[in-house]
Coordinates of all heavy atoms in Angstrom, one line a residue:
M6 N 12.0 17.5 -17.9 CA 11.2 17.5 -16.6 C 9.8 17.1 -16.8 O 9.1 16.6 -16.0 CB 11.4 19.0 -16.1 CG 10.8 19.1 -14.7 SD 11.8 18.1 -13.5 CE 11.3 18.7 -12.0
Q7 N 9.2 17.5 -18.0 CA 7.9 17.2 -18.3 C 7.6 15.7 -18.3 O 6.6 15.2 -17.9 CB 7.5 17.8 -19.7 CG 6.0 17.6 -20.0 CD 5.1 18.5 -19.1 OE1 5.6 19.5 -18.6 NE2 3.9 18.2 -19.0
L8 N 8.6 14.9 -18.7 CA 8.4 13.4 -18.8 C 8.2 12.8 -17.4 O 7.5 11.9 -17.2 CB 9.6 12.7 -19.5 CG 9.8 13.0 -20.9 CD1 11.0 12.4 -21.5 CD2 8.6 12.5 -21.8
V9 N 9.0 13.4 -16.5 CA 8.9 13.0 -15.0 C 7.5 13.3 -14.5 O 6.8 12.5 -13.8 CB 9.9 13.6 -14.2 CG1 9.8 13.3 -12.7 CG2 11.4 13.1 -14.6
E10 N 7.0 14.5 -14.8 CA 5.7 14.9 -14.3 C 4.6 14.1 -14.9 O 3.5 13.8 -14.3 CB 5.4 16.4 -14.6 CG 6.3 17.3 -13.8 CD 6.1 18.8 -14.2 OE1 5.3 19.1 -15.0 OE2 7.0 19.7 -13.7
N11 N 4.7 13.7 -16.2 CA 3.7 12.8 -16.8 C 3.5 11.4 -16.2 O 2.6 10.7 -16.5 CB 4.0 12.7 -18.3 CG 3.8 13.9 -19.1 OD1 3.1 14.8 -18.5 ND2 4.5 14.1 -20.2
T12 N 4.5 11.0 -15.4 CA 4.4 9.7 -14.7 C 3.4 9.7 -13.6 O 3.1 8.6 -13.1 CB 5.7 9.1 -14.3 OG1 6.2 10.1 -13.2 CG2 6.8 9.1 -15.4
N13 N 3.1 10.9 -13.0 CA 2.3 11.0 -11.8 C 2.8 10.2 -10.6 O 2.1 9.8 -9.8 CB 0.8 10.4 -12.1 CG 0.1 11.2 -13.2 OD1 0.2 12.5 -13.2 ND2 -0.7 10.6 -14.0
W14 N 4.1 10.2 -10.5 CA 4.8 9.5 -9.4 C 4.5 10.2 -8.1 O 4.3 9.5 -7.1 CB 6.3 9.4 -9.6 CG 7.0 10.7 -9.5 CD1 7.3 11.6 -10.5 CD2 7.5 11.3 -8.4 NE1 7.9 12.7 -10.1 CE2 8.1 12.6 -8.7 CE3 7.6 10.9 -7.0 CZ2 8.7 13.3 -7.8 CZ3 8.2 11.7 -6.1 CH2 8.8 12.9 -6.5
L15 N 4.4 11.6 -8.1 CA 4.1 12.3 -6.9 C 2.7 12.0 -6.3 O 2.5 11.7 -5.2 CB 4.3 13.8 -7.1 CG 4.3 14.6 -5.8 CD1 5.3 14.3 -4.8 CD2 4.5 16.1 -6.2
S16 N 1.7 11.9 -7.3 CA 0.4 11.5 -6.9 C 0.4 10.1 -6.3 O -0.3 9.8 -5.3 CB -0.5 11.7 -8.1 OG -1.8 11.2 -7.7
M17 N 1.1 9.2 -6.9 CA 1.1 7.8 -6.5 C 1.8 7.7 -5.1 O 1.2 7.1 -4.2 CB 1.8 7.0 -7.5 CG 1.7 5.5 -7.1 SD 0.1 4.8 -7.0 CE -0.6 5.1 -8.6
A18 N 2.9 8.4 -4.9 CA 3.5 8.4 -3.6 C 2.6 9.0 -2.5 O 2.6 8.5 -1.4 CB 4.9 9.2 -3.7
R19 N 1.9 10.0 -2.8 CA 0.9 10.5 -1.9 C -0.1 9.6 -1.5 O -0.4 9.4 -0.3 CB 0.3 11.8 -2.4 CG -0.5 12.6 -1.4 CD -1.3 13.7 -2.0 NE -2.3 12.9 -2.8 CZ -2.9 13.2 -3.9 NH1 -2.7 14.3 -4.4 NH2 -3.8 12.5 -4.5
L20 N -0.7 8.9 -2.4 CA -1.7 7.9 -2.1 C -1.1 6.7 -1.3 O -1.8 6.2 -0.3 CB -2.2 7.3 -3.5 CG -3.1 8.2 -4.3 CD1 -3.5 7.6 -5.6 CD2 -4.4 8.6 -3.4
I21 N 0.1 6.2 -1.6 CA 0.7 5.2 -0.8 C 1.0 5.6 0.6 O 0.7 4.9 1.6 CB 1.9 4.7 -1.5 CG1 1.5 4.0 -2.9 CG2 2.7 3.7 -0.7 CD1 2.7 3.5 -3.8
L22 N 1.5 6.8 0.8 CA 1.7 7.3 2.1 C 0.5 7.5 2.9 O 0.4 7.2 4.1 CB 2.6 8.6 2.0 CG 4.0 8.5 1.5 CD1 4.6 9.9 1.3 CD2 4.8 7.8 2.6
S23 N -0.5 8.0 2.2 CA -1.8 8.3 2.9 C -2.4 6.9 3.4 O -2.9 6.8 4.5 CB -2.8 9.0 2.0 OG -4.1 9.1 2.6
A24 N -2.4 5.9 2.5 CA -3.0 4.6 2.8 C -2.1 4.0 4.0 O -2.7 3.3 4.8 CB -2.9 3.7 1.6
S25 N -0.8 4.2 4.0 CA 0.1 3.6 5.0 C -0.3 4.3 6.4 O -0.4 3.6 7.4 CB 1.5 3.9 4.7 OG 1.9 3.3 3.5
R26 N -0.5 5.6 6.4 CA -0.9 6.3 7.5 C -2.2 5.8 8.1 O -2.4 5.6 9.3 CB -0.9 7.9 7.3 CG -1.1 8.6 8.6 CD -1.6 10.0 8.4 NE -2.9 10.1 7.8 CZ -4.0 9.9 8.5 NH1 -4.0 9.7 9.8 NH2 -5.2 9.9 7.9
Q27 N -3.2 5.7 7.2 CA -4.5 5.2 7.7 C -4.4 3.8 8.2 O -5.1 3.5 9.2 CB -5.4 5.2 6.5 CG -5.9 6.7 6.1 CD -6.8 6.7 4.8 OE1 -6.9 5.6 4.2 NE2 -7.3 7.8 4.5
T28 N -3.6 3.0 7.5 CA -3.5 1.6 8.0 C -2.8 1.6 9.4 O -3.3 0.9 10.4 CB -2.6 0.8 7.1 OG1 -3.3 0.8 5.8 CG2 -2.3 -0.6 7.5
A29 N -1.7 2.3 9.6 CA -1.1 2.3 10.9 C -2.0 3.0 12.0 O -2.0 2.5 13.1 CB 0.2 3.1 10.8
F30 N -2.8 3.9 11.6 CA -3.7 4.5 12.5 C -4.7 3.5 13.1 O -5.0 3.4 14.3 CB -4.4 5.7 11.9 CG -5.5 6.3 12.8 CD1 -5.1 7.3 13.7 CD2 -6.8 5.9 12.7 CE1 -6.1 7.9 14.6 CE2 -7.8 6.5 13.6 CZ -7.4 7.4 14.4
H31 N -5.3 2.8 12.1 CA -6.4 1.8 12.6 C -5.8 0.6 13.3 O -6.4 0.2 14.3 CB -7.1 1.3 11.3 CG -8.1 2.4 10.8 ND1 -9.1 2.8 11.4 CD2 -8.0 3.0 9.6 CE1 -9.8 3.8 10.8 NE2 -9.1 3.8 9.6
V32 N -4.6 0.2 13.0 CA -3.9 -0.8 13.7 C -3.6 -0.4 15.2 O -3.9 -1.1 16.1 CB -2.7 -1.4 13.0 CG1 -1.8 -2.2 13.9 CG2 -3.1 -2.1 11.7
H33 N -3.0 0.8 15.2 CA -2.5 1.3 16.6 C -3.6 1.8 17.5 O -3.8 1.4 18.6 CB -1.5 2.4 16.4 CG -0.9 2.9 17.6 ND1 0.0 2.1 18.3 CD2 -1.1 4.1 18.3 CE1 0.4 2.8 19.5 NE2 -0.3 4.0 19.4
Y34 N -4.4 2.7 17.0 CA -5.4 3.4 17.8 C -6.7 2.6 18.0 O -7.3 2.5 19.0 CB -5.7 4.8 17.3 CG -4.6 5.7 17.5 CD1 -3.8 6.1 16.4 CD2 -4.3 6.1 18.8 CE1 -2.7 6.9 16.7 CE2 -3.1 7.0 19.0 CZ -2.4 7.4 18.0 OH -1.3 8.2 18.1
N35 N -7.2 2.0 16.9 CA -8.4 1.2 16.9 C -8.2 -0.3 17.2 O -9.2 -1.0 17.3 CB -9.3 1.4 15.7 CG -9.6 2.9 15.5 OD1 -9.9 3.6 16.5 ND2 -9.7 3.3 14.2
Q36 N -7.0 -0.7 17.2 CA -6.6 -2.1 17.3 C -7.3 -3.0 16.4 O -7.9 -4.0 16.8 CB -6.7 -2.5 18.8 CG -5.8 -1.7 19.6 CD -5.5 -2.2 21.0 OE1 -6.1 -3.2 21.4 NE2 -4.7 -1.5 21.8
L37 N -7.5 -2.6 15.1 CA -8.2 -3.3 14.2 C -7.2 -4.2 13.2 O -6.1 -3.7 12.9 CB -9.0 -2.5 13.3 CG -10.2 -1.7 13.9 CD1 -10.7 -0.7 12.8 CD2 -11.2 -2.6 14.3
P38 N -7.6 -5.4 12.9 CA -6.8 -6.1 11.9 C -7.0 -5.5 10.6 O -8.2 -5.1 10.3 CB -7.3 -7.5 12.0 CG -8.6 -7.4 12.6 CD -8.7 -6.2 13.5
I39 N -6.1 -5.5 9.8 CA -6.2 -4.9 8.4 C -5.9 -5.9 7.3 O -4.9 -6.7 7.4 CB -5.2 -3.7 8.2 CG1 -5.5 -2.7 9.3 CG2 -5.3 -3.1 6.9 CD1 -6.8 -1.9 9.2
L40 N -6.7 -6.0 6.3 CA -6.5 -6.8 5.1 C -6.3 -5.8 4.0 O -7.2 -5.0 3.7 CB -7.7 -7.6 4.8 CG -7.6 -8.5 3.5 CD1 -6.5 -9.5 3.6 CD2 -8.9 -9.1 3.2
L41 N -5.1 -5.9 3.4 CA -4.8 -4.9 2.3 C -5.0 -5.7 0.9 O -4.6 -6.8 0.8 CB -3.3 -4.5 2.3 CG -2.9 -3.6 3.5 CD1 -1.4 -3.5 3.6 CD2 -3.6 -2.3 3.5
H42 N -5.6 -5.0 0.0 CA -5.8 -5.5 -1.3 C -5.8 -4.3 -2.2 O -6.3 -3.3 -2.0 CB -7.3 -6.2 -1.4 CG -7.6 -6.5 -2.8 ND1 -7.0 -7.6 -3.5 CD2 -8.4 -6.0 -3.7 CE1 -7.4 -7.6 -4.7 NE2 -8.4 -6.7 -4.8
C43 N -5.0 -4.6 -3.4 CA -4.9 -3.5 -4.3 C -5.4 -4.0 -5.7 O -4.9 -5.1 -6.1 CB -3.4 -3.0 -4.4 SG -3.2 -1.7 -5.6
R44 N -6.4 -3.4 -6.2 CA -7.0 -3.9 -7.4 C -6.0 -3.6 -8.7 O -6.3 -4.1 -9.7 CB -8.3 -3.2 -7.6 CG -8.3 -1.7 -7.7 CD -9.7 -1.2 -7.8 NE -9.7 0.2 -7.5 CZ -10.1 1.2 -8.3 NH1 -10.7 0.8 -9.4 NH2 -10.0 2.5 -7.9
H45 N -5.0 -2.8 -8.5 CA -4.2 -2.5 -9.6 C -2.8 -3.3 -9.6 O -1.8 -2.9 -10.2 CB -3.8 -1.0 -9.7 CG -5.0 -0.2 -9.9 ND1 -5.7 -0.2 -11.1 CD2 -5.7 0.7 -9.1 CE1 -6.7 0.6 -11.1 NE2 -6.7 1.2 -9.9
G46 N -2.8 -4.4 -8.8 CA -1.6 -5.2 -8.7 C -1.1 -5.2 -7.3 O -1.5 -4.6 -6.4
W47 N -0.2 -6.1 -7.1 CA 0.4 -6.4 -5.7 C 1.5 -5.5 -5.3 O 1.8 -5.5 -4.1 CB 0.7 -7.8 -5.6 CG 1.8 -8.3 -6.6 CD1 1.5 -8.7 -7.9 CD2 3.1 -8.4 -6.4 NE1 2.6 -9.1 -8.5 CE2 3.6 -8.8 -7.7 CE3 4.0 -8.1 -5.4 CZ2 5.0 -9.0 -7.8 CZ3 5.4 -8.3 -5.7 CH2 5.9 -8.7 -6.8
D48 N 2.0 -4.6 -6.1 CA 3.0 -3.8 -5.7 C 2.6 -2.7 -4.6 O 3.3 -2.6 -3.6 CB 3.6 -3.0 -6.9 CG 4.5 -3.8 -7.8 OD1 4.7 -5.0 -7.5 OD2 4.9 -3.2 -8.8
R49 N 1.5 -2.1 -4.8 CA 1.0 -1.1 -3.9 C 0.7 -1.6 -2.6 O 0.9 -1.0 -1.5 CB -0.1 -0.3 -4.5 CG 0.4 0.5 -5.6 CD -0.8 1.4 -6.2 NE -0.7 1.5 -7.6 CZ -1.6 1.7 -8.5 NH1 -2.8 1.9 -8.0 NH2 -1.3 1.8 -9.7
A50 N 0.0 -2.8 -2.5 CA -0.4 -3.4 -1.3 C 0.9 -3.7 -0.5 O 0.9 -3.4 0.8 CB -1.2 -4.7 -1.5
S51 N 1.9 -4.2 -1.0 CA 3.1 -4.5 -0.2 C 3.8 -3.3 0.2 O 4.4 -3.3 1.3 CB 4.0 -5.5 -1.0 OG 4.5 -4.8 -2.2
Q52 N 3.8 -2.3 -0.7 CA 4.4 -1.0 -0.2 C 3.7 -0.4 0.9 O 4.3 0.1 1.9 CB 4.4 0.0 -1.4 CG 5.3 -0.5 -2.5 CD 5.0 0.3 -3.8 OE1 4.1 1.0 -4.0 NE2 5.9 0.1 -4.8
V53 N 2.3 -0.4 0.9 CA 1.5 0.0 2.0 C 1.8 -0.7 3.3 O 2.0 -0.2 4.4 CB 0.0 0.1 1.8 CG1 -0.8 0.4 2.9 CG2 -0.2 1.1 0.6
A54 N 1.8 -2.0 3.2 CA 2.2 -2.9 4.3 C 3.5 -2.6 4.9 O 3.6 -2.4 6.2 CB 2.0 -4.4 3.9
A55 N 4.5 -2.5 4.1 CA 5.8 -2.2 4.6 C 6.0 -0.8 5.3 O 6.5 -0.7 6.3 CB 6.9 -2.3 3.4
L56 N 5.4 0.2 4.6 CA 5.4 1.5 5.2 C 4.6 1.6 6.5 O 5.0 2.3 7.5 CB 4.9 2.6 4.2 CG 5.9 2.9 3.1 CD1 5.2 3.8 2.1 CD2 7.1 3.6 3.6
S57 N 3.6 0.9 6.6 CA 2.8 0.9 7.8 C 3.6 0.3 8.9 O 3.6 0.7 10.1 CB 1.5 0.0 7.6 OG 0.7 0.7 6.7
Q58 N 4.3 -0.8 8.6 CA 5.2 -1.4 9.6 C 6.3 -0.6 10.1 O 6.7 -0.5 11.2 CB 5.7 -2.8 9.1 CG 4.6 -3.8 8.9 CD 5.1 -5.1 8.2 OE1 5.7 -5.9 8.8 NE2 4.9 -5.1 6.9
L59 N 6.8 0.3 9.2 CA 7.8 1.2 9.5 C 7.3 2.2 10.5 O 8.0 2.6 11.5 CB 8.3 1.9 8.3 CG 9.4 1.2 7.5 CD1 9.6 2.0 6.1 CD2 10.7 1.0 8.2
L60 N 6.0 2.6 10.3 CA 5.4 3.6 11.2 C 5.1 3.0 12.5 O 5.2 3.7 13.5 CB 4.1 4.1 10.5 CG 4.3 5.0 9.3 CD1 2.9 5.2 8.6 CD2 4.9 6.3 9.6
L61 N 4.7 1.7 12.6 CA 4.2 1.1 13.8 C 5.3 0.5 14.6 O 5.2 0.5 16.0 CB 3.2 0.0 13.5 CG 1.9 0.5 13.0 CD1 1.1 -0.7 12.3 CD2 1.1 1.1 14.0
D62 N 6.4 0.0 14.1 CA 7.4 -0.8 14.9 C 8.8 -0.2 14.7 O 9.3 -0.2 13.6 CB 7.4 -2.2 14.4 CG 8.1 -3.2 15.2 OD1 9.0 -2.7 16.0 OD2 7.9 -4.3 15.1
P63 N 9.3 0.3 15.8 CA 10.6 1.0 15.6 C 11.8 -0.1 15.3 O 12.8 0.3 14.8 CB 11.0 1.5 17.1 CG 9.9 1.0 17.9 CD 8.8 0.5 17.1
H64 N 11.5 -1.4 15.5 CA 12.5 -2.4 15.0 C 12.8 -2.3 13.5 O 13.9 -2.4 13.1 CB 11.9 -3.8 15.4 CG 12.8 -4.8 14.7 ND1 14.0 -5.1 15.1 CD2 12.5 -5.7 13.7 CE1 14.5 -6.2 14.4 NE2 13.6 -6.5 13.6
Y65 N 11.7 -2.0 12.8 CA 11.9 -1.9 11.3 C 12.6 -0.6 10.8 O 12.9 -0.5 9.7 CB 10.5 -2.1 10.7 CG 10.0 -3.5 10.8 CD1 8.8 -3.7 11.3 CD2 10.7 -4.7 10.4 CE1 8.2 -5.0 11.5 CE2 10.2 -5.9 10.5 CZ 9.0 -6.0 11.1 OH 8.5 -7.3 11.2
R66 N 12.8 0.3 11.8 CA 13.6 1.5 11.4 C 15.0 1.4 11.6 O 15.8 2.3 11.4 CB 13.0 2.6 12.2 CG 11.5 3.0 11.8 CD 10.9 4.2 12.6 NE 9.7 3.8 13.1 CZ 9.2 4.0 14.3 NH1 9.8 4.7 15.2 NH2 7.9 3.6 14.6
M67 N 15.4 0.3 12.2 CA 16.9 -0.1 12.3 C 17.4 -0.8 11.1 O 16.6 -1.4 10.4 CB 17.1 -0.8 13.6 CG 16.5 -0.1 14.8 SD 17.2 1.4 15.2 CE 18.8 1.1 15.8
R68 N 18.7 -0.8 11.0 CA 19.2 -1.5 9.8 C 18.9 -3.0 9.7 O 18.4 -3.4 8.6 CB 20.8 -1.4 9.9 CG 21.5 -2.0 8.6 CD 23.0 -1.9 8.7 NE 23.3 -0.5 8.7 CZ 24.5 -0.1 9.0 NH1 25.4 -0.9 9.4 NH2 24.7 1.2 9.0
E69 N 19.0 -3.7 10.8 CA 18.7 -5.2 10.7 C 17.1 -5.3 10.5 O 16.7 -6.2 9.7 CB 19.1 -5.8 12.0 CG 18.7 -7.4 12.0 CD 19.3 -8.0 13.3 OE1 20.3 -7.6 13.9 OE2 18.6 -8.8 13.8
G70 N 16.3 -4.6 11.2 CA 14.9 -4.7 11.0 C 14.4 -4.3 9.6 O 13.5 -4.9 9.0
F71 N 15.0 -3.2 9.0 CA 14.7 -2.8 7.7 C 15.0 -3.9 6.7 O 14.3 -4.2 5.8 CB 15.4 -1.5 7.3 CG 15.0 -0.9 6.0 CD1 13.7 -0.4 5.9 CD2 15.8 -1.0 4.9 CE1 13.3 0.2 4.7 CE2 15.4 -0.6 3.7 CZ 14.1 0.1 3.6
S72 N 16.2 -4.5 6.8 CA 16.6 -5.7 6.0 C 15.6 -6.8 6.0 O 15.2 -7.3 5.0 CB 18.0 -6.1 6.5 OG 18.3 -7.2 5.7
T73 N 15.1 -7.1 7.3 CA 14.1 -8.1 7.4 C 12.8 -7.7 6.7 O 12.2 -8.6 6.0 CB 13.9 -8.4 8.9 OG1 15.0 -8.7 9.6 CG2 12.8 -9.4 9.2
L74 N 12.4 -6.5 6.9 CA 11.2 -6.0 6.3 C 11.3 -6.1 4.7 O 10.3 -6.6 4.1 CB 10.9 -4.5 6.7 CG 9.6 -3.9 6.2 CD1 8.5 -4.7 6.8 CD2 9.6 -2.4 6.6
V75 N 12.3 -5.7 4.1 CA 12.5 -5.8 2.7 C 12.4 -7.3 2.2 O 11.8 -7.5 1.2 CB 13.8 -5.1 2.2 CG1 14.1 -5.4 0.8 CG2 13.8 -3.6 2.5
E76 N 13.1 -8.1 3.0 CA 13.1 -9.5 2.6 C 11.7 -10.1 2.7 O 11.2 -10.8 1.8 CB 14.1 -10.3 3.4 CG 14.2 -11.7 3.0 CD 15.2 -12.5 3.8 OE1 16.1 -11.9 4.3 OE2 15.1 -13.7 3.9
K77 N 11.0 -9.9 3.8 CA 9.7 -10.6 4.0 C 8.6 -9.9 3.2 O 7.7 -10.7 2.8 CB 9.4 -10.6 5.5 CG 8.8 -9.4 6.1 CD 8.4 -9.6 7.6 CE 7.7 -8.5 8.2 NZ 6.3 -8.4 7.6
D78 N 8.6 -8.7 2.9 CA 7.5 -8.1 2.2 C 7.8 -7.7 0.7 O 6.9 -7.3 0.0 CB 7.2 -6.7 2.9 CG 6.2 -6.9 4.1 OD1 6.0 -8.1 4.5 OD2 5.8 -5.9 4.7
S79 N 9.0 -8.0 0.3 CA 9.3 -7.7 -1.1 C 9.9 -8.9 -1.8 O 9.3 -9.5 -2.7 CB 10.2 -6.5 -1.2 OG 9.6 -5.4 -0.7
L80 N 11.1 -9.3 -1.3 CA 11.9 -10.4 -2.0 C 11.2 -11.7 -1.9 O 11.2 -12.5 -2.9 CB 13.3 -10.4 -1.4 CG 14.1 -9.1 -1.5 CD1 15.5 -9.3 -0.8 CD2 14.3 -8.8 -2.9
S81 N 10.6 -12.0 -0.8 CA 10.0 -13.4 -0.6 C 8.8 -13.5 -1.5 O 8.3 -14.6 -1.8 CB 9.6 -13.7 0.9 OG 8.7 -12.8 1.3
F82 N 8.2 -12.4 -2.0 CA 7.0 -12.5 -2.9 C 7.4 -12.3 -4.4 O 6.5 -12.2 -5.2 CB 6.0 -11.4 -2.5 CG 5.3 -11.7 -1.2 CD1 5.6 -11.0 -0.1 CD2 4.3 -12.7 -1.2 CE1 5.0 -11.3 1.1 CE2 3.7 -12.9 0.1 CZ 4.0 -12.3 1.1
G83 N 8.7 -12.3 -4.6 CA 9.2 -12.2 -6.0 C 9.2 -10.8 -6.6 O 9.3 -10.7 -7.8
W84 N 9.3 -9.8 -5.7 CA 9.3 -8.4 -6.2 C 10.6 -8.1 -6.8 O 11.7 -8.4 -6.2 CB 9.0 -7.4 -5.1 CG 8.4 -6.1 -5.5 CD1 7.1 -5.9 -5.9 CD2 9.1 -4.9 -5.6 NE1 7.0 -4.6 -6.2 CE2 8.1 -3.9 -6.1 CE3 10.4 -4.4 -5.3 CZ2 8.4 -2.6 -6.2 CZ3 10.6 -3.1 -5.5 CH2 9.7 -2.2 -5.9
T85 N 10.7 -7.8 -8.0 CA 12.0 -7.6 -8.8 C 12.3 -6.2 -8.9 O 11.7 -5.4 -9.6 CB 11.9 -8.2 -10.2 OG1 10.7 -7.7 -10.9 CG2 11.7 -9.7 -10.2
W86 N 13.3 -5.8 -8.1 CA 13.8 -4.4 -8.0 C 14.3 -3.9 -9.4 O 14.1 -2.8 -9.7 CB 14.8 -4.2 -6.9 CG 14.2 -4.5 -5.6 CD1 14.1 -5.7 -5.0 CD2 13.7 -3.6 -4.7 NE1 13.5 -5.6 -3.7 CE2 13.3 -4.2 -3.5 CE3 13.5 -2.2 -4.7 CZ2 12.7 -3.6 -2.5 CZ3 13.0 -1.6 -3.6 CH2 12.6 -2.3 -2.5
R87 N 15.0 -4.7 -10.0 CA 15.7 -4.3 -11.2 C 14.8 -4.1 -12.4 O 15.0 -3.3 -13.3 CB 16.8 -5.3 -11.7 CG 18.0 -5.3 -10.7 CD 19.0 -6.2 -11.2 NE 20.0 -6.4 -10.1 CZ 21.0 -7.2 -10.2 NH1 21.1 -8.0 -11.2 NH2 21.9 -7.2 -9.2
R88 N 13.6 -4.7 -12.4 CA 12.7 -4.5 -13.5 C 11.8 -3.3 -13.4 O 11.0 -3.0 -14.3 CB 11.8 -5.8 -13.6 CG 12.6 -6.9 -14.1 CD 11.6 -8.0 -14.5 NE 12.2 -9.3 -14.3 CZ 11.6 -10.5 -14.4 NH1 10.3 -10.5 -14.5 NH2 12.3 -11.6 -14.2
K89 N 11.8 -2.7 -12.3 CA 10.8 -1.6 -12.0 C 11.4 -0.3 -12.7 O 12.5 0.0 -12.4 CB 10.6 -1.2 -10.5 CG 10.0 -2.4 -9.9 CD 8.6 -2.8 -10.3 CE 8.1 -4.1 -9.8 NZ 7.0 -4.6 -10.4
E90 N 10.6 0.3 -13.5 CA 11.1 1.6 -14.2 C 10.2 2.7 -13.9 O 9.1 2.6 -13.8 CB 11.1 1.3 -15.7 CG 12.1 0.2 -16.0 CD 12.2 -0.1 -17.5 OE1 11.7 0.7 -18.3 OE2 12.6 -1.1 -17.8

């Protein structure tokens, strides 16, 4: 169990969810365009973008929409699911 805790995955998940909520808030309530940039790599920016779209658009919460979201925000940019550890 200690090895899992040492990865800080819970802290990272919290940060990604918080950024996604803030992004969705500014897009929806303030009607602001958002530019996402992550200084630690492109994984987090695409995760924040995808989660924000899930929060904003009910289409992406359906099976077909979710499939489209995964393809356009992950697979088309070369995100390799199998290499992530």
